[in-house]
Amino acid sequence: MDRSRRVVLKGAGAGGALAAALAAGLLKPGSALAAWNKGAFEAKNTADAMKALGVTNAAESKDIQIRAPEIAENGAVVPIDITSTIPGTTSISVFIDKNPFPYTGTFDVSQGALPFVHLRVKIGESSPVRVVVAAGGKYFTTAKEVKVTIGGCGG
Amino acid sequence: MTRYALTRCAVAAFATLAFVPLTLAQTKPPAAKPAAPATAPDPTAAEFDKFREVLEEDNPAELFEAKGKELWFAKRGPNSASLEKCDLGLGPGVVKGAYVRLPRYFADVGKVMDVERRILHCMVTLQGFKMEDLAKQPFSNPNRTPDPVSLVTYVAGQSRGMKIATPMSRPEERETFEIGREIFNYRAGPYDFSCATCHGEDGKRIRTQPLPNLTKPAEAIRAYQGWPGYRMTGGVMHTLQWRMNDCFRQQRFPAPDYASDTITALLAYLAVNANGQVYKGPGIKR
Amino acid sequence: MADPMKIRATLQGDVADVRVLMAHPMETGQRKDASGNVVPLHFIQTITAQLNGKTVFGADVSQAVSRNPVFAFKVKGAKAGDKVSITWTDNKGEKRTDETAIGAG
Amino acid sequence: MGIRTASILGAAAAALAAAFSATAGDPSTAAQEMIKRDFKPRGIATIDRVNQDGVQTLCNRTHDKPPKDIAERLEKDQLAGIQWPADGKLLGDWKAGERVAQSGRGFTWSDKPGVTGGSCYNCHQIGPNENSFGTVGPSLYQFGKTRGFGADMQKYVYGKIYNAKAYNLCSLMPRFGHVGALTEKEIRDLVALLMDPGSPVNK
């Protein structure tokens, strides 16, 4: 399998990305294979997760659309659509602030996919869903609050 | 909302999240006036409805349909036979359209059977499985999906988009329906609950969960096409046998036997009430 | 072995709309089973998608993705009959690849 | 039903079929016989729960529209069975009442004995901070404020929670005191939740 395409937050140009990735420990020198970013995934808050991923100075952007329920029918399955209209979008990352491990994943759209992803996630308590988009060497961000409620007894 | 006192259902829901099972969200207080009458649009339900479509478009129930199809055609059991000769009412091996014509009377056993019961019958008679074994742990849990559950999901999926046409032409079918109606309205137990207590009126809900009025076609279909259903709580596939069983638990009744006459009668009542409506399941449920 | 994925790929213009259902428990490592034992962490970590053998989409994800995961993405420059293949790998090293041909939109 | 089975099946299936065809008479009798046959005790849910008491029988038979005179007699009978607090105090602690109102536990076969809540939010809107409430029963938000804080109203609320059937024979609401689901203290706390001027319900 082709693992050379590793998912990293491709924020900078090729050289810059590599440097940033190295700095953040995303890529181990001497290895073409970057690991699934354990540090970021095990971070207990969004800020630490972003630090582990090398995300800095993410600017608030209106050009990222998050479609998610305001009140989720069930926190075990919350459907989320993310679309970026920022030119040159290379990756989309998702953080659920109030989850014990907020960093939920990164989607690499730099190799022929459109800047869109649909996923379904667990949200343990009402929380902002934060999205970070990497595009043209910069980071952009927006968030949407999702509420989780008590439901009935089984539908 | 409080941390300490959840409904049992909520506890079950959050246990599957397994992150912070006992921490619940802060919710917005309602407007400072009494609740709107039940006929007014319910903003929570409206928000759920908006995302129902999204959830239904990619429903993990399809994974169980695929599994059920594989099981249907596989040579299994002591007799090493497939279920291809199973007669679901439209002749041996006819699966398409069978689900929307069940429960029905089967002359070979002299009784009315619902889909799960008929599949069990085929697994016993064709494949040589033992009913005692099949009835031992009949319901899904996060670690195990019983084969009949996947098979029911497959069979139901083969009637997707068809009109419910539960037969009522035989006296046995009419009597089963009538007994089902009686059981639906049978109030007993410490809380005086019957099925009708929660499912006999329009526009009601328990907590945030809508309660379809099962006595009316347009509402009965909402319940009927939800099952077999992929339940987001726990991420498991359940059939109507489970749904009826768990309703009786919440009714504070003792436990009904799996694949019993009581459940068949209730399902006949429910299916006949949904007659004429288009079946869009298998469903996805909270 | 893990059960097969269910992949649907339909065409809109030259963009393939790819939707995938995966059979996976996505255990958070915090759920307890009926006998009170903690069910160990078990979840998909990486996903890659290829169009006619070329990688076009990838993801690294956590256990916060719902049980029996659902993902959708869109791929440019596709045509009817092209092969879409998707691979997931989980934290136990288990792996599964399934493939489908893009249907007309 | 009168179906004779030319049974070709195993003993279990044949027995089921025979049982099904053995029922005679009206659907109501047939339904009761079927229920008695098919339900089994489980956990704390004993088998006697499928039997109807007088109130249940009358409401089932008349589809919740009992003749007025009989209903009044039975309501009076239910009212006489209410045990009022000996010290006459009906108003407890609304904070404890909120906890009782939230809990939906109790009496199912998966519940432990003695752990029972009021399940109030399952059917009623009550406090302003709980958005996840049912609508089977009327909203109780601002109950005291709109219905009055007087002693008679307190007594009505206590009695209604203790035995709703004493006021409306075929009410959908359980008889929480009558069946021992809630204790005197718990009912008092619920009365406070609805009737204490300091309760958020009345803010």
Side-chain angles (χ1 to χ4, degrees):
Chain A
M1 149 193 175
D2 171 17
R3 283 187 64 100
S4 62
R5 62 107 214 130
R6 283 319 313 167
V7 173
V8 288
L9 288 174
K10 291 181 181 164
L18 188 59
L22 285 169
L26 285 172
L27 291 170
K28 289 187 186 70
S31 165
L33 308 181
W36 182 82
N37 193 323
K38 198 167 150 64
F41 279 113
E42 289 181 357
K44 296 238 162 53
N45 61 63
T46 299
D48 287 351
M50 286 194 187
K51 202 183 287 171
L53 289 163
V55 175
T56 47
N57 301 321
E60 288 291 329
S61 171
K62 287 195 170 61
D63 297 321
I64 306 166
Q65 287 84 44
I66 304 174
R67 184 169 188 258
E70 267 165 45
I71 306 172
E73 188 176 349
N74 191 332
V77 185
V78 181
I80 302 174
D81 278 349
I82 303 162
T83 307
S84 165
T85 47
I86 301 168
T89 296
T90 51
S91 75
I92 296 167
S93 297
V94 181
F95 304 83
I96 300 157
D97 289 357
K98 298 274 183 69
N99 272 358
F101 306 104
Y103 179 39
T104 304
T106 293
F107 302 87
D108 174 4
V109 294
S110 69
Q111 304 177 70
L114 293 180
F116 160 84
V117 67
H118 170 82
L119 71 157
R120 296 180 189 179
V121 299
K122 303 171 189 134
I123 300 184
E125 59 177 303
S126 298
S127 170
V129 171
R130 178 157 294 281
V131 170
V132 172
V133 161
K138 292 198 179 76
Y139 296 109
F140 302 88
T141 185
T142 191
K144 183 182 163 70
E145 176 82 12
V146 173
K147 288 193 176 67
V148 174
T149 66
I150 295 184
C153 287
Chain B
M1 221 180 292
T2 53
R3 286 186 55 118
Y4 29 76
L6 305 179
T7 62
R8 166 156 290 278
C9 345
V11 169
F14 280 83
T16 67
L17 301 185
F19 279 136
V20 244
L22 290 181
T23 309
L24 282 181
Q26 214 51 45
T27 49
K28 205 162 49 184
K33 59 178 184 192
T39 46
D42 173 346
T44 307
E47 183 70 7
F48 291 175
D49 280 349
K50 260 196 341 210
F51 286 88
R52 281 260 108 210
E53 226 175 285
V54 175
L55 293 168
E56 280 163 13
E57 191 180 351
D58 297 289
N59 182 350
E62 284 183 44
L63 297 167
F64 298 88
E65 259 185 84
K67 185 86 195 165
K69 183 177 182 183
E70 184 191 314
L71 290 169
W72 183 269
F73 291 101
K75 291 195 188 347
R76 302 172 66 244
N79 300 348
S80 186
S82 77
L83 291 170
E84 286 165 282
K85 288 191 181 132
C86 179
D87 182 356
L88 296 170
L90 305 182
V94 181
V95 180
K96 264 231 152 10
Y99 184 77
V100 287
R101 291 173 180 82
L102 285 162
R104 68 185 301 136
Y105 175 77
F106 287 92
D108 60 354
V109 289
K111 55 201 285 93
V112 175
M113 290 179 142
D114 57 82
V115 65
E116 190 153 345
R117 214 164 157 187
R118 187 62 183 177
I119 288 172
L120 295 169
H121 167 78
C122 288
M123 290 175 79
V124 170
T125 54
L126 298 175
Q127 298 183 309
F129 286 108
K130 288 206 169 65
M131 187 57 202
E132 306 88 272
D133 297 337
L134 296 172
K136 220 170 265 168
Q137 279 190 306
F139 304 130
S140 303
N141 64 45
N143 304 322
R144 180 174 166 272
T145 306
D147 293 341
V149 171
S150 300
L151 285 161
V152 167
T153 308
Y154 164 61
V155 170
Q158 293 295 305
S159 282
R160 196 184 280 108
M162 297 183 191
K163 271 196 180 158
I164 312 260
T166 319
M168 279 278 269
S169 53
R170 292 194 58 107
E172 297 86 352
E173 289 162 350
R174 285 195 293 277
E175 193 189 10
T176 302
F177 166 83
E178 275 165 21
I179 292 173
R181 179 168 54 198
E182 290 294 327
I183 297 173
F184 183 82
N185 288 294
Y186 187 80
R187 200 191 278 213
Y191 282 5
D192 310 325
F193 286 159
S194 69
C195 307
T197 304
C198 288
H199 293 286
E201 284 185 82
D202 290 356
K204 301 292 185 187
R205 58 178 222 219
I206 184 164
R207 288 281 181 168
T208 57
Q209 185 73 39
L211 295 164
N213 179 352
L214 301 179
T215 65
K216 290 186 174 173
E219 295 253 310
I221 187 63
R222 280 179 52 201
Y224 201 69
Q225 74 188 12
W227 305 98
Y230 179 76
R231 193 147 185 243
M232 294 187 266
T233 302
V236 290
M237 195 71 208
H238 280 309
T239 67
L240 277 164
Q241 285 284 337
W242 173 84
R243 180 61 278 177
M244 296 300 112
N245 182 278
D246 203 58
C247 276
F248 279 118
R249 183 181 67 81
Q250 286 161 1
Q251 251 171 271
R252 275 73 182 176
F253 272 48
D257 282 343
Y258 173 60
S260 59
D261 291 336
T262 294
I263 306 296
T264 300
L266 267 176
L267 294 182
Y269 176 68
L270 185 55
V272 168
N273 285 345
N275 266 352
Q277 305 287 315
V278 174
Y279 178 68
K280 293 183 193 140
I284 181 163
K285 307 292 286 186
R286 182 181 203 286
Chain C
M1 200 178 82
D3 283 332
M5 285 176 243
K6 193 102 187 157
I7 308 172
R8 276 187 295 161
T10 50
L11 210 56
Q12 280 144 3
D14 75 332
V15 174
D17 180 16
V18 183
R19 322 191 67 90
V20 56
L21 294 169
M22 301 170 177
H24 201 284
M26 299 302 287
E27 292 291 353
T28 59
Q30 296 186 35
R31 188 176 69 85
K32 283 184 182 161
D33 65 14
S35 39
N37 301 317
V38 171
V39 182
L41 202 59
H42 185 204
F43 65 104
I44 290 172
Q45 288 188 316
T46 65
I47 299 152
T48 55
Q50 300 190 324
L51 180 70
N52 294 331
K54 176 190 172 285
T55 297
V56 287
F57 176 84
D60 281 3
V61 297
S62 80
Q63 65 272 30
V65 166
S66 304
R67 186 178 165 91
N68 294 320
V70 174
F71 294 101
F73 54 91
K74 297 173 200 267
V75 183
K76 283 180 293 192
K79 54 187 190 308
D82 281 358
K83 293 266 183 290
V84 174
S85 96
I86 298 177
T87 300
W88 58 250
T89 311
D90 72 19
N91 66 320
K92 294 184 177 174
E94 205 178 336
K95 197 166 151 172
R96 166 108 211 166
T97 301
D98 289 279
E99 185 179 272
T100 195
I102 298 176
Chain D
M1 223 181 149
I3 298 133
R4 295 276 61 93
T5 62
S7 186
I8 43 152
L9 298 176
L16 271 172
F20 203 64
S21 56
T23 54
D26 67 300
S28 166
T29 311
Q32 283 179 54
E33 285 171 7
M34 200 181 271
I35 287 170
K36 295 214 163 98
R37 203 170 57 232
D38 287 343
F39 282 79
K40 304 292 148 61
R42 185 157 166 197
I44 59 171
T46 47
I47 199 64
D48 59 311
R49 290 186 181 191
V50 301
N51 301 326
Q52 313 159 82
D53 76 350
V55 171
Q56 291 166 343
T57 305
L58 183 65
C59 294
N60 284 344
R61 288 240 180 103
T62 61
H63 299 110
D64 291 356
K65 290 180 189 70
K68 204 164 168 245
D69 52 330
I70 303 177
E72 277 172 4
R73 254 183 23 229
L74 279 173
E75 282 168 7
K76 210 177 267 175
D77 179 56
Q78 295 286 305
L79 193 63
I82 296 177
Q83 288 177 21
W84 305 96
D87 61 3
K89 276 182 65 180
L90 300 178
L91 215 57
D93 167 9
W94 68 260
K95 285 192 188 114
E98 170 70 17
R99 285 196 292 273
V100 176
Q102 285 282 354
S103 170
R105 285 183 187 280
F107 279 87
T108 74
W109 71 60
S110 51
D111 283 314
K112 291 187 183 73
V115 186
T116 306
S119 304
C120 310
Y121 279 104
N122 282 1
C123 295
H124 297 281
Q125 180 182 30
I126 310 174
N129 297 319
E130 179 53 270
N131 221 5
S132 180
F133 56 84
T135 61
V136 177
S139 171
L140 305 175
Y141 183 55
Q142 308 233 300
F143 187 90
K145 211 170 170 179
T146 53
R147 304 284 289 266
F149 294 107
D152 283 358
M153 189 54 72
Q154 280 185 18
K155 192 170 177 193
Y156 166 71
V157 173
Y158 188 96
K160 180 86 182 177
I161 298 169
Y162 191 98
N163 188 343
K165 269 73 174 177
Y167 303 84
N168 170 8
L169 194 70
C170 298
S171 162
L172 300 180
M173 183 166 153
R175 295 171 278 182
F176 291 103
H178 179 75
V179 298
L182 297 177
T183 62
E184 181 178 294
K185 181 191 179 304
E186 287 168 329
I187 299 176
R188 276 204 278 223
D189 292 341
L190 287 173
V191 173
L193 181 65
L194 298 186
M195 295 293 293
D196 190 324
S199 161
V201 169
N202 296 313
K203 293 289 177 197

